[in-house]
Amino acid sequence: MIAIDLEFHHWQWQYQISTTFILFVIIPALYYIYSKYITSSPNGYNKLESPIKLTVTIPDEARPNWKGKRLYPKPSIIVENEPTKIRGYCPATGQDLGIYETTSRSQMDEMIAKAAKAQKHWSKSSFTLRRKLLKTLARYILENQENIARIACRDSGKTKLDASMGEIMVTLEKLNWIIAHGEKTLKPSQRPGPSNFLLGFLKNAEVRYEPMGVVSAIVSWNYPFHNLMGPIIAALFTGNAIVVKCSENVVWSSQWFVEMCRAALKALNIDQDLVQLCFCFPEDANYFSSHPGLNHITFIGSETIAHHVVANAAKELTPCVVELGGKDSFIILDDIKDVNAISSIVLRGTFQSAGQNCIGIERVICLPNVYKQLKEILSERVKQLRIGSDIDQLDDVDMGAMISNNRFDQLEELIADAVLKGAKLLHGGKPYQHPNYPQGHFFEPTLLVDVDESMKIFHEEVFGPILTMIKANNVDEAIKLANGSKFGLGNSIFGSDFTQLNKLADELKSGNVAINDFATYYVAQLPFGGVKKSGYGKFGGEEGLLGLCNAKSIVMDKPFFRLMGVATAIPPPIDYPIPDGKRAWNFVRNLNIAGYDGRMWAKVKAFKSLARGGA
C-alpha cells in the first residue's frame, strides 16, 4: 500500500491507494490523456491536430458539362502579339481557360521577399501545427477528389482515373507519410562523436536539421497537382517557405491548387505568404533560377532545361535537385507465371497520362519464351484502347490527350526510323482526330515490336503513348539492354526466382528498381531520383525532407562533465606563445598515439609522456 497525504484548506486527508490501482488505472489514464491531448501522435487521434474544414470555391470550368468556348483551329498557349501573356486551354477539348499575365521580375522579387518574411516566424512553428496543416489538406483532398481530378484533367487533358492514381493517391501518400514520420526524421540525430579516446570520452555530438529559408520548385506540367503539391508539402513541414514556378502549360490549375493551400494556411492563422506561385516564359525563368533569395531549387523537367537551371543556380551557388527524364525498362524473364497479368501492368505503365510520365515504361524487354505470347496479347489489347475525354463524363475512355501537339512530328519520326530499320508497327503510330474534340491533342496508342539498339527510339525518351517491345536472348543481354541508355531513372523486373531478381536489381544502373511491380518505389516514399542523364539528388522520403534542411553539426560537453565543471582548455605545452617547440611537438605526437594507436602498451607510454607535459 502507498500512503498519500493531501493538504487542502487546513484539512488533511490520507488516502490508502494500492500499488495495483496506480499501475493499472492511474498511470494508463494519465498516459491516455497525455498521448491524446498533449503530445503529437502522428498515427492516432490528437485533438490539437484535428483538421480544419476548408471551403474553397470550385471554378466553373471544373463543373461537369461546362460549356467553355473552343479555340479554333488549333489552340496554343501563345497569345499573338502579347509576349507577356499565356493562354490556358484544355488539351483534350480545346476549351479556353483564360489569358494570364506572366509574373514579372519585380513581382518575383516581391514574392521571394514576402516568403522570406513569413518564413522567419514559420521556422519556429511546432510539429503539432505543421501536422495539423497537413491533416487539413489531406482531409480536404479526400473530400474533394472529383473536383481536384477534374481541375487537373481540364488543364492537362488526362483522364480522371489517371488523375486519381497519378495525382491524388500519391499526394495523399506523401501527406500521410510525413504526418506519421516527418517529426522523427527531422529530430536531432545523435552521432558517435570523435573516435579519439580523449575527445570521445568528454564530448557528445549531434546533427540538427534547420530550415533553409525560401526554397523553390520548378515543376513540369505532366502532373499539375502532384508535381506542385509534393514540394509544397515537404517545404512547409520542414519549416521553409516556397515559391513554385509552374509550367506555362498549366497556369489555370496551378493557381487553384495554390489557392487551396493558402486557404488551409489562412484557416489555421498561418501567414499565406509562405506559399507563392509564379509563371513565365524562359527569359524570365532564367532570372528566377538565378535569384539570390532562393536557398534551394527542386527542378522537375527535361535534360535540356536542366542545363539552364543548374547554370543559373550556380551563379548564386544555390543547391539543386534535378529530376529529369527516363528510358525505363520493364524486364520480363521466361519463368514468369501469368503473362496476362503482366500485360495489364505493361499497359498501365505505358499509357497512363498518354505516356507522359517520367517513370513510365519506355522499353519492354522480354526473354524469348515470353516475347511472342506477350506480343500477341498486347496486340489485341492495344487495339481496344479508347481515346478521348471523360472530364465531363461524356465518354468511357482509356487514354486522354497529350499536353500539346508540338511533339507529334518527333514521335512520328521515331516510329518511321524504327520501321525503316526493321521494327514492326502493329498499331497506331500517328495523331488521332477525335470526332467530338477535333481541337484535342490526341496521339494513337502505339505498339512497336522487334525494336533494337540501332533505332533512335531505343535511346531517346519518347514521353508519349508508344509501347516498344525488345527481345533479349538471355538474362545477361536483358540487363545489358536495360543499362544501354544514357538515362537511369527507374526499372522494373519480373520473374519467379526472387534470389535471382534481387541480384539482378543490383546490376541495373538506375536510381530506382521495382521487383515484380511497377513504380512502387515512388509510392513507398523512398528517396526518388535518378543517375546518369536522369539527374541527381533525391526528393521523397527521409532524404527528401533532410535535403530541404541545413544540417548543423553540434559538439558539446557531456552533461556529467558539465556538472563537474570540466571544460575544454588548451594544455600549457601548446598554449601561445609556445614555450618549447620540441616539447610541444612531443606532446601532440603522444596525444595522437594515446587517441588513435590500437596498441595498449603504446597508449600507456603516450599517457606517461603526456603526464610529464610531453617530455
Side-chain angles (χ1 to χ4, degrees):
M1 303 290 285
I2 298 176
I4 299 178
D5 291 332
L6 299 175
E7 186 172 341
F8 181 72
H9 287 294
H10 307 293
W11 289 293
Q12 186 169 345
W13 300 334
Q14 187 177 72
Y15 290 91
Q16 301 292 322
I17 304 177
S18 72
T19 305
T20 302
F21 184 76
I22 290 176
L23 289 175
F24 293 101
V25 178
I26 300 296
I27 292 177
L30 291 173
Y31 177 78
Y32 175 81
I33 294 169
Y34 181 75
S35 62
K36 186 171 182 179
Y37 297 106
I38 300 174
T39 64
S40 303
S41 176
N43 294 313
Y45 175 76
N46 186 329
K47 190 172 183 179
L48 294 178
E49 297 178 6
S50 298
I52 301 294
K53 188 170 182 62
L54 295 183
T55 301
V56 187
T57 303
I58 304 300
D60 290 339
E61 295 89 338
R63 305 289 182 188
N65 304 312
W66 172 63
K67 305 298 181 184
K69 181 182 74 173
R70 295 194 184 187
L71 300 171
Y72 291 93
K74 283 291 183 182
S76 168
I77 63 170
I78 303 299
V79 180
E80 192 173 355
N81 299 321
E82 297 281 359
T84 63
K85 292 184 178 178
I86 296 171
R87 181 184 294 280
Y89 69 92
C90 176
T93 64
Q95 291 169 294
D96 188 7
L97 294 175
I99 294 176
Y100 305 92
E101 186 74 30
T102 58
T103 309
S104 67
R105 297 185 178 190
S106 61
Q107 288 173 321
M108 291 178 189
D109 293 339
E110 184 180 356
M111 287 178 178
I112 293 170
K114 285 182 176 179
K117 183 179 179 182
Q119 190 273 337
K120 288 181 180 179
H121 179 71
W122 179 245
S123 66
K124 299 177 176 62
S125 61
S126 68
F127 285 115
T128 296
L129 180 58
R130 296 179 195 180
R131 271 192 296 270
K132 187 180 184 77
L133 172 62
L134 266 55
K135 288 181 179 180
T136 297
L137 285 169
R139 175 69 60 82
Y140 182 82
I141 293 168
L142 279 169
E143 293 176 351
N144 291 271
Q145 293 184 59
E146 187 158 355
N147 288 327
I148 291 169
R150 193 175 284 112
I151 290 170
C153 294
R154 189 72 78 187
D155 219 7
S156 67
K158 66 181 62 178
T159 67
K160 287 197 295 184
L161 179 61
D162 286 351
S164 180
M165 296 181 67
E167 306 264 20
I168 295 172
M169 181 187 295
V170 288
T171 301
L172 287 169
E173 174 60 34
K174 189 177 189 77
L175 282 164
N176 280 7
W177 188 91
I178 293 178
I179 288 167
H181 305 290
E183 181 178 1
K184 180 182 176 182
T185 299
L186 297 175
K187 278 187 173 180
S189 171
Q190 303 302 315
R191 301 299 175 89
S195 63
N196 183 300
F197 169 76
L198 296 173
L199 287 175
F201 185 69
L202 297 171
K203 302 292 183 180
N204 278 339
E206 69 179 30
V207 179
R208 298 174 187 171
Y209 301 102
E210 300 178 346
M212 284 186 155
V214 179
V215 301
S216 66
I218 302 172
V219 296
S220 57
W221 42 260
N222 54 330
Y223 289 95
F225 179 62
H226 179 67
N227 283 352
L228 180 137
M229 289 298 297
I232 290 176
I233 293 164
L236 292 176
F237 195 82
T238 49
N240 293 296
I242 184 167
V243 184
V244 180
K245 184 207 163 294
C246 69
S247 166
E248 52 270 35
N249 288 286
V250 289
V251 172
W252 173 75
S253 61
S254 297
Q255 286 188 323
W256 189 86
F257 296 142
V258 166
E259 181 185 343
M260 179 192 74
C261 294
R262 300 185 84 170
L265 292 169
K266 183 179 180 181
L268 295 171
N269 295 314
I270 302 169
D271 196 332
Q272 297 177 66
D273 286 338
L274 283 171
V275 178
Q276 304 282 344
L277 176 71
C278 69
F279 42 88
C280 59
F281 288 116
E283 298 77 16
D284 290 325
N286 291 332
Y287 178 81
F288 179 75
S289 55
S290 62
H291 201 287
L294 299 178
N295 302 111
H296 184 277
I297 296 174
T298 298
F299 174 75
I300 302 173
S302 70
E303 178 192 351
T304 302
I305 304 301
H307 284 288
H308 296 287
V309 171
V310 172
N312 290 327
K315 296 174 184 177
E316 294 293 331
L317 299 180
T318 305
C320 296
V321 167
V322 290
E323 190 270 291
L324 310 178
K327 194 68 185 172
D328 291 15
S329 293
F330 190 96
I331 303 170
I332 309 172
L333 305 185
D334 272 341
D335 60 353
I336 198 70
K337 303 298 184 186
D338 190 342
V339 180
N340 266 309
I342 291 291
S343 72
S344 294
I345 301 173
V346 169
L347 291 173
R348 169 55 58 186
T350 303
F351 296 113
Q352 178 168 305
S353 295
Q356 300 166 119
N357 185 357
C358 61
I359 52 173
I361 299 171
E362 292 260 342
R363 297 174 296 167
V364 178
I365 301 174
C366 303
L367 266 61
N369 290 345
V370 76
Y371 184 86
K372 181 179 179 182
Q373 187 180 356
L374 182 63
K375 181 173 70 173
E376 292 173 353
I377 294 171
L378 289 175
S379 179
E380 290 302 314
R381 296 191 67 176
V382 171
K383 291 176 184 177
Q384 297 171 17
L385 296 181
R386 299 158 296 182
I387 313 171
S389 171
D390 65 350
I391 304 172
D392 299 312
Q393 299 174 326
L394 300 177
D395 303 313
D396 289 326
V397 299
D398 300 299
M399 193 184 83
M402 295 185 68
I403 194 70
S404 74
N405 60 359
N406 62 6
R407 292 186 55 250
F408 284 4
D409 289 346
Q410 179 191 4
L411 296 182
E412 290 185 276
E413 288 172 8
L414 289 173
I415 294 167
D417 172 78
V419 171
L420 182 65
K421 294 174 180 176
K424 295 181 180 64
L425 178 63
L426 300 187
H427 186 73
K430 61 184 183 297
Y432 175 69
Q433 185 83 2
H434 197 288
N436 297 329
Y437 314 109
Q439 298 86 7
H441 303 315
F442 297 101
F443 197 92
E444 293 178 341
T446 299
L447 177 59
L448 194 64
V449 302
D450 299 344
V451 171
D452 62 40
E453 293 174 279
S454 69
M455 304 167 189
K456 291 180 181 178
I457 202 166
F458 179 92
H459 301 280
E460 296 183 21
E461 184 180 24
V462 172
F463 218 66
I466 301 177
L467 197 168
T468 62
M469 291 190 66
I470 302 159
K471 185 188 295 184
N473 293 315
N474 51 56
V475 174
D476 289 341
E477 186 180 9
I479 298 299
K480 179 176 177 290
L481 289 167
N483 289 335
S485 168
K486 68 176 182 177
F487 297 105
L489 189 53
N491 284 294
S492 298
I493 185 163
F494 282 75
S496 298
D497 184 343
F498 182 76
T499 301
Q500 180 189 31
L501 295 175
N502 210 26
K503 178 177 177 293
L504 294 176
D506 290 338
E507 297 180 19
L508 290 167
K509 307 301 181 186
S510 61
N512 314 278
V513 177
I515 296 176
N516 284 336
D517 214 325
F518 164 70
T520 42
Y521 43 76
Y522 190 82
V523 183
Q525 290 305 304
L526 296 172
F528 180 76
V531 298
K532 299 192 281 188
K533 296 295 184 179
S534 289
Y536 57 83
K538 301 285 184 178
F539 62 82
E542 295 180 10
E543 288 80 357
L545 289 181
L546 296 177
L548 295 176
C549 298
N550 291 314
K552 180 181 285 185
S553 301
I554 305 289
V555 176
M556 67 198 84
D557 295 325
K558 290 184 176 178
F560 173 78
F561 294 109
R562 288 202 303 270
L563 292 173
M564 297 295 293
V566 177
T568 299
I570 301 297
I574 59 173
D575 195 11
Y576 288 122
I578 305 297
D580 183 335
K582 183 178 180 180
R583 193 182 188 96
W585 168 260
N586 283 331
F587 183 87
V588 176
R589 183 177 67 85
N590 282 289
L591 190 65
N592 287 333
I593 293 171
Y596 301 108
D597 199 312
R599 298 168 297 175
M600 183 56 65
W601 180 242
K603 284 182 179 290
V604 171
K605 289 174 64 178
F607 274 116
K608 287 176 64 178
S609 176
L610 291 173
R612 296 194 301 268

